[in-house]
């Protein structure tokens, strides 16, 4: 695909016409779900702001809502975005921004339909919150890169066909340079996925060990040594995906607690009432801020504001789930039998209060720790002086570890 694309005039009426054509050719009631999703992608109605030929029509992003509403009203199947959120929210915009034409053509369609699940090989046990300190190495060997290292906290690794991976390719460079960005085939020899049991007793996360994994150079995204810049696209989209999800008024966790408050008057106290009101107001403010963020996305790229939304999401989830457990008393402490399970989704609203309380603890770690996000907000949103960084210009190989 050419880098210079013709932008057709596509408005809401034209999109509705295209939706009608899709529904006429592939009636949802008689069409296999996967066949319908493939046809929707090929019709450019998957993500309308993407280029023609890659599931889109070069249309304004805001018009996606027109397509979604028409298809929902017709009872059309969706692509289960919660199950494939890493691919949709993180891998896809990075591939679109930095991938080659061949990579986009090969990867985006099965990513969108959910035929191929993605995971993210970023975090490492030795790097902590300082992602740029990563130690996984990729060494060039002919047309391949040979990768050795360990990743951790990897959602969906046990389900994934593909992973977005950052690895150090030049240890003589400072830690933010000398990193390259790859697409890793999780079925390749040398990739080992182990469950990582969490405080909930479940294992939705994983450790991933990479031992002599050969990745063709044709699966590199961006330039050699420019992986940190590529990763910023992924991370900004990740925080928007986590913190900017659309929630109806009094939806999500605050809605569950408010319902319990209304239905169980015997549980009420004045103090709990005041705390519930404060969290309700904060949830509404976060919901409206998320709507504003989505409007920003409709006209450009995600900015550091996504970090603020992700931070608010984590804090509110933890405070609301704690209030719910306190409101329910002993009833709120009940929990499952702690049998190890491998869930595909984090189901905050479909589980018991004890699960929500325990699972919310991870919200301040996953998708960037709250401490890292506070630094981003301070420096990039508020314009405050950056923290002193004595290791910024030192070669990575000389950093103390």
């Amino acid at each position: 695909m050419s880098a210079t694309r013709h932008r057709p005039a596509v408005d809401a009426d034209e999109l509705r016409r295209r939706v009608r054509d899709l529904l006429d050719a592939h009636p949802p009631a008689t069409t296999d779900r996967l066949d319908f999703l493939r046809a929707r992608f090929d019709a450019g109605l998957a993500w309308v702001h993407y280029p023609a030929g890659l599931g889109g029509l070069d249309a304004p992003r805001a018009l996606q809502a027109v397509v979604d509403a028409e298809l929902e009203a017709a009872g059309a199947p969706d692509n289960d975005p919660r199950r494939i959120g890493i691919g949709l929210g993180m891998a896809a915009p990075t591939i679109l921004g930095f991938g080659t034409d061949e990579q986009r053509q090969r990867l985006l369609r099965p990513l969108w339909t959910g035929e191929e699940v993605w995971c993210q090989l970023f975090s490492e046990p030795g790097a902590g919150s300082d992602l740029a300190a990563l130690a996984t190495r990729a060494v060039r060997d002919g047309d391949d890169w040979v990768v050795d290292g360990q990743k951790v906290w990897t959602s969906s690794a046990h389900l994934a066909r593909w992973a977005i991976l950052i690895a150090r390719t030049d240890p003589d460079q400072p830690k933010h340079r000398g990193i390259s960005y790859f697409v890793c085939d999780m079925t390749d020899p040398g990739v080992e996925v182990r469950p990582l049991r969490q405080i909930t007793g479940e294992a939705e996360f994983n450790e991933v060990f990479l031992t002599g994994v050969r990745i063709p150079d044709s699966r590199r995204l961006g330039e050699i040594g420019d992986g940190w810049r590529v990763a910023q696209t992924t991370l900004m989209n990740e925080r928007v995906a986590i913190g900017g999800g659309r929630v109806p008024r009094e939806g999500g966790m605050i809605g569950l607690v408010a319902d319990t408050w209304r239905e169980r008057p015997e549980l009420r106290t004045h103090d709990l009432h005041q705390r519930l009101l404060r969290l309700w107001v904060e949830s509404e403010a976060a919901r409206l801020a998320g709507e504003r963020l989505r409007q920003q996305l409709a006209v450009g790229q995600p900015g550091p504001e996504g970090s603020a939304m992700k931070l608010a999401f984590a804090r509110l989830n933890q405070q609301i789930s704690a209030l719910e457990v306190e409101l329910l008393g002993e009833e709120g402490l009940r929990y499952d039998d702690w049998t190890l399970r491998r869930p595909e989704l984090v189901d905050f609203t479909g589980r018991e209060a004890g699960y929500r309380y325990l699972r919310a603890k991870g919200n301040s770690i996953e998708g960037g720790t709250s401490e890292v996000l506070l630094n981003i907000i301070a420096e990039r949103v508020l314009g405050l002086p950056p923290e002193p960084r004595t290791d910024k210009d030192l070669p990575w190989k000389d950093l103390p570890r």
Side-chain angles (χ1 to χ4, degrees), residues 342-359:
R342 302 279 273 160
E344 293 189 21
L345 297 172
V346 179
D347 187 6
F348 276 114
T349 57
R351 300 284 298 277
E352 64 274 28
Y355 170 83
R356 285 191 281 276
Y357 176 75
L358 294 174
R359 181 59 184 80

Side-chain angles (χ1 to χ4, degrees), residues 25 85 89 98 119 138 149 156 162 169 203 214 223 241 249 257-258 264 287 309 311 343 361 369 392:
F98 294 92
C119 67
S156 302
W162 298 103
T169 48
R214 300 189 76 88
E223 300 298 321
R249 185 172 184 177
V257 183
R264 305 279 297 275
R287 185 182 72 83
M309 287 305 305
L311 184 67
K361 301 301 180 187
T369 66
K392 185 175 180 181

Side-chain angles (χ1 to χ4, degrees), residues 248-267:
R249 185 172 184 177
E250 204 175 282
M253 290 172 63
I254 193 65
L256 294 173
V257 183
D259 287 344
T260 301
W261 176 266
R262 296 188 183 99
E263 297 165 1
R264 305 279 297 275
E266 73 277 12
L267 301 174

Side-chain angles (χ1 to χ4, degrees), residues 279 310-320 363 370 374:
L279 291 174
K310 195 273 174 182
L311 184 67
F313 163 82
R315 286 182 169 178
L316 277 170
N317 266 8
Q318 292 173 357
Q319 292 172 357
I320 294 169
N363 290 158
S370 294
L374 284 170

Side-chain angles (χ1 to χ4, degrees), residues 32 54 74 199 204 212 230 252 262 302 304 331 335 368:
D32 175 78
L54 296 176
I199 192 173
E204 71 198 58
V230 181
R262 296 188 183 99
E331 185 182 336
Y335 196 62

Side-chain angles (χ1 to χ4, degrees), residues 134-184:
L134 65 88
T136 292
R137 290 290 311 276
V139 178
R140 189 70 180 259
D141 182 20
D143 292 333
D144 294 342
W145 295 85
V146 180
V147 180
D148 291 277
Q150 180 187 355
K151 300 290 181 176
V152 73
W153 306 118
T154 312
S155 305
S156 302
H158 55 296
L159 306 168
R161 164 64 198 279
W162 298 103
I164 42 177
L165 162 73
I166 49 177
R168 190 163 301 283
T169 48
D170 188 351
D172 293 323
Q173 293 287 332
K175 63 180 182 180
H176 289 88
R177 299 195 289 272
I179 294 173
S180 298
Y181 196 116
F182 301 94
V183 171
C184 176

